């Protein structure tokens, strides 16, 4: 009990340290921050059947950190609805589906060609090849006026290559940029083909090519570009880094807080530490809570000069529900208060008039004019007394001399709020980064890997910080040794306590030190007459009727309120961006 950190505290901190590495392993975070973009595009334009143009696209798309079904190409129908649509991919699903859509910007219908599987998602870098024919491109008129891509392109393209094959052109033209832009690129002859390379093409920029077609022939073969170099996954390395950072943060926090909370003990032996102090024994040393806990023995006598709530405070190093409950249990043991019936109400005990004046005054105010407080429903007077006792215990803890630093109920280490505030700030920043798609950032992931376990460790291990003085360590050892006696007690020990007139007191100590269940079992196996059991174990009602006491001093939650109740026209010039047919946009879905 003197070691406030259990295996569950360590388990919670370990889970916090493992959380970010697990996100990395699952590919949810820390894979490196990559935006969606087209690494490269190659558009090959060749004569199609009859009056059409055939388009062959090679699209190298990097989905970045997003999970997508695949590639989407939107094609306007001003050159007719695309036909002969096929697609393939060496590394991703390539099922084809098409659906008409109305483009509210260009005010024309388009066919959305989706390549991919609606039931499967992919991420990272992939290649798609797409073929389709625009059947009404008016090649027979001898004019090429084709929008390769419109001005609604979703992503940047690192390298955009356009090749025209199987056509002889005079006065070839090329325009790139915003709608209406003219020039900016050159569609130049390259052997048997015409070629233009734009590197890069920004999102929102379009490309239009044009020229006079003087002859149509079988197109020359156009080599397919090499697949761009694939990224090497850093997931394994980042997982290891995140795990190491989490381990260092959690273990380091535990080590620092345990060191700051080491207790002073007097003398050399455990007996010196428990029954002496630095002033009496001489030499002192510092020990951790775990080491102090190992010094405790088993003592059948209650600590002298202490009340049960002192014991609860010394063990838990906190002023809370347990210490105040221990105070009430002690008042019942002393006969200042008693519980009527089977935990129905608190009433005055036979020794109320001999209680200290401040206690007598408070109990009298608590019981009020009718001389009792019913348990089980909220009673403001009990809450008032509860708060008064809690405040008094805070003052007592500070003046007890049992702590050199961070006495229970008093301001904690100033480092704690700073660390928690910093942790909350970083968590908020990471949350914002997550919301804006930065969860794969190496820096954000590393920061989260450190801060999350650090903040959890500060909260889990904060009870290590109070530092007991030599007298405080001695008192704590006495209390823990007595708690172990109560926890391991048998019927014969209850018989002894009854015979020596300390059964009521020991029952109050059992409630205060968390040994009420074990002490109750020992009472059940004792030889104490039943009437005496009822009389002498009344303090245990604070344990058996804990919920009734809690509902009496806890402010009830407020009641929730109720609630009330297309066409096509010819005349393409091909001289500026957007001046041709076709075009559209591409992206992911």
């Amino acid at each position: 009990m003197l070691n406030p950190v259990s295996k569950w505290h360590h388990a919670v901190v370990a889970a916090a340290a493992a959380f970010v590495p697990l996100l990395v392993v699952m590919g949810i975070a820390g894979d490196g921050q990559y935006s969606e973009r087209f690494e490269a595009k190659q558009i090959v334009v060749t004569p199609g059947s009859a009056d059409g143009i055939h388009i062959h696209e090679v699209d190298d798309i990097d989905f970045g950190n997003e999970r997508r079904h695949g590639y989407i190409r939107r094609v306007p129908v001003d050159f007719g609805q695309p036909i002969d649509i096929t697609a393939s991919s060496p590394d991703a699903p390539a099922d084809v589906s098409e659906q008409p859509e109305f483009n509210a910007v260009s005010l024309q219908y388009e066919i959305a060609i989706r390549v991919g599987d609606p039931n499967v998602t992919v991420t990272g870098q992939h290649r798609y090849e797409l073929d389709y024919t625009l059947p009404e491109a008016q090649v027979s008129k001898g004019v090429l006026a084709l929008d390769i891509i419109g001005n609604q392109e979703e992503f940047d393209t690192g390298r955009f290559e356009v090749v025209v094959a199987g056509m002889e052109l005079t006065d070839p033209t090329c325009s790139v940029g915003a709608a209406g832009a003219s020039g900016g690129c050159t569609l130049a002859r390259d052997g048997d083909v015409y070629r233009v390379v734009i590197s890069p093409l920004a999102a929102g920029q379009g490309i239009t090519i044009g020229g006079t077609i003087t002859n149509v022939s079988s197109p020359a073969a156009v080599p397919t570009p090499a697949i761009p170099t694939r990224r090497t996954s850093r997931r394994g390395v980042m997982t290891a880094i995140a795990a190491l950072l989490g381990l260092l943060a959690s273990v380091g926090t535990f080590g620092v807080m345990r060191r700051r909370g080491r207790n002073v003990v007097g003398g050399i032996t455990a007996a010196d530490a428990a029954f002496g102090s630095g002033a009496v024994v001489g030499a002192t040393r510092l020990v951790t809570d775990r080491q102090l806990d190992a010094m405790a023995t088993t003592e059948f006598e209650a600590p002298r000069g202490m009340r049960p709530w002192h014991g609860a405070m010394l063990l838990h190093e906190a002023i809370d529900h347990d210490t105040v409950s221990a105070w009430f249990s002690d008042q019942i043991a002393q006969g200042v208060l008693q519980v009527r019936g089977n935990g129905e109400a608190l009433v005055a005990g036979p020794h109320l008039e001999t209680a200290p004046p401040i206690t007598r005054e408070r109990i009298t105010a608590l019981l009020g004019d009718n001389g009792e407080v019913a348990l089980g429903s909220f009673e403001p007077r009990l809450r008032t007394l509860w708060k008064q006792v809690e405040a008094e215990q805070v003052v007592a803890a500070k003046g007890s001399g049992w702590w050199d630093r961070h006495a229970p109920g008093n301001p904690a280490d100033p480092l704690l709020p700073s660390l928690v505030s910093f942790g909350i700030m970083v968590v908020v920043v990471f949350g914002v980064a997550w919301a804006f798609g930065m969860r794969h950032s190496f820096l954000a992931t590393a920061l989260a890997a450190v801060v999350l376990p650090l903040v959890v460790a500060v909260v889990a291990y904060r009870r290590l910080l109070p530092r007991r003085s030599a007298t405080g360590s001695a008192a704590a050892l006495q209390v823990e040794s007595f708690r172990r006696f109560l926890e391991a007690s048998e019927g014969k020990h209850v018989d002894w306590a009854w015979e020596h007139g300390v059964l009521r007191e020991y029952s109050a100590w059992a409630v205060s030190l968390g040994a009420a269940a074990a002490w109750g079992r020992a009472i059940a196996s004792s030889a104490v007459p039943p009437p005496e059991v009822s009389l002498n174990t009344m303090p245990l009602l604070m344990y058996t009727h804990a919920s009734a006491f809690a509902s009496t001093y806890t402010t009830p939650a407020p009641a929730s309120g109720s609630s009330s109740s297309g066409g096509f026209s010819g005349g393409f010039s091909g001289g500026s961006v957007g001046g041709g047919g076709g075009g559209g946009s591409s992206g992911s879905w």
Side-chain angles (χ1 to χ4, degrees), residues 320-526:
D320 53 17
H321 166 85
D322 291 335
T323 57
V324 181
S325 293
W327 184 89
F328 276 90
S329 182
D330 190 26
Q331 300 310 310
I332 295 172
Q334 296 180 66
V336 176
L337 276 172
Q338 65 182 20
V339 181
R340 190 187 69 199
N342 188 27
E344 299 165 2
L346 285 176
V347 298
H351 299 148
L352 175 60
E353 294 305 318
T354 60
I358 184 65
T359 301
R360 185 170 64 251
E361 178 183 337
R362 288 174 174 173
I363 296 298
T364 301
L366 169 68
L367 300 179
D369 295 336
N370 58 354
E372 68 174 38
V373 173
L375 299 177
S377 59
F378 177 63
E379 174 51 64
R381 288 176 298 174
L382 182 58
R383 178 172 177 79
T384 298
L385 178 54
W386 199 279
K387 291 298 182 183
Q388 289 173 341
V389 172
E390 191 173 62
E392 188 176 78
Q393 290 181 347
V394 170
V395 174
K398 186 174 183 179
S400 66
W402 288 337
W403 286 273
D404 288 344
R405 186 166 55 215
H406 310 318
N410 291 276
D413 193 317
L415 182 63
L416 278 181
S418 300
L419 283 175
V420 173
S421 298
F422 173 72
I424 292 174
M425 179 186 69
V426 172
V427 169
V428 170
V429 170
F430 186 72
V432 172
W434 184 291
F436 283 90
M438 295 294 291
R439 57 190 169 92
H440 285 283
S441 164
F442 292 134
L443 179 60
T445 302
L447 197 59
V450 171
V451 173
L452 179 60
L454 185 147
V455 172
V456 173
V458 166
V459 174
Y461 300 142
R462 69 191 184 282
R463 290 177 61 184
L464 289 170
L465 286 176
R467 171 173 162 163
R468 297 181 180 93
S469 63
T471 54
S473 295
L477 283 172
Q478 294 173 41
V479 170
E480 171 60 13
S481 296
F482 184 56
R483 186 199 69 80
R484 293 184 182 185
F485 161 75
L486 294 173
E487 192 69 41
S489 57
E490 301 174 1
K492 61 183 179 181
H493 301 120
V494 175
D495 295 338
W496 179 92
W498 174 57
E499 292 168 0
H500 288 79
V502 293
L503 182 54
R504 286 175 69 95
E505 180 187 358
Y506 278 27
S507 295
W509 274 100
V511 172
S512 303
L513 304 185
W519 186 245
R521 289 191 295 270
I523 290 172
S525 63
S526 71

Side-chain angles (χ1 to χ4, degrees), residues 233-312:
S233 174
R234 302 181 186 177
R235 188 176 300 177
V237 174
M238 195 62 210
T239 299
I241 292 174
L244 178 61
L245 291 175
L247 179 65
L248 292 175
S250 53
V251 172
T253 301
F254 174 73
V256 169
M257 298 181 78
R258 182 178 63 174
R259 183 175 181 81
R260 288 181 65 83
R262 287 181 301 170
N263 308 286
V264 180
V265 296
I268 304 301
T269 67
D272 293 336
F275 297 101
S277 68
V280 176
V281 179
T284 61
R285 55 198 170 99
L286 296 175
V287 298
T288 65
D289 289 338
R290 180 181 292 276
Q291 291 170 328
L292 185 66
D293 188 66
M295 295 179 184
T297 56
T298 301
E299 295 290 337
F300 69 90
E301 183 180 2
R304 297 180 182 180
M306 284 184 266
R307 302 308 308 170
W309 72 267
H310 290 137

Side-chain angles (χ1 to χ4, degrees), residues 8 34 66-67 69 71 77 88 116-117 158 201 217 233 236-237 302 386 388 406 422 429 447 450 471 484 487 544 586:
W8 298 112
Y34 303 102
E66 305 298 332
R67 299 206 67 85
H69 296 288
Y71 172 64
V77 297
S88 64
D117 188 333
L201 180 73
S217 60
S233 174
V237 174
W386 199 279
Q388 289 173 341
H406 310 318
F422 173 72
V429 170
L447 197 59
V450 171
T471 54
R484 293 184 182 185
E487 192 69 41
T544 58
S586 61

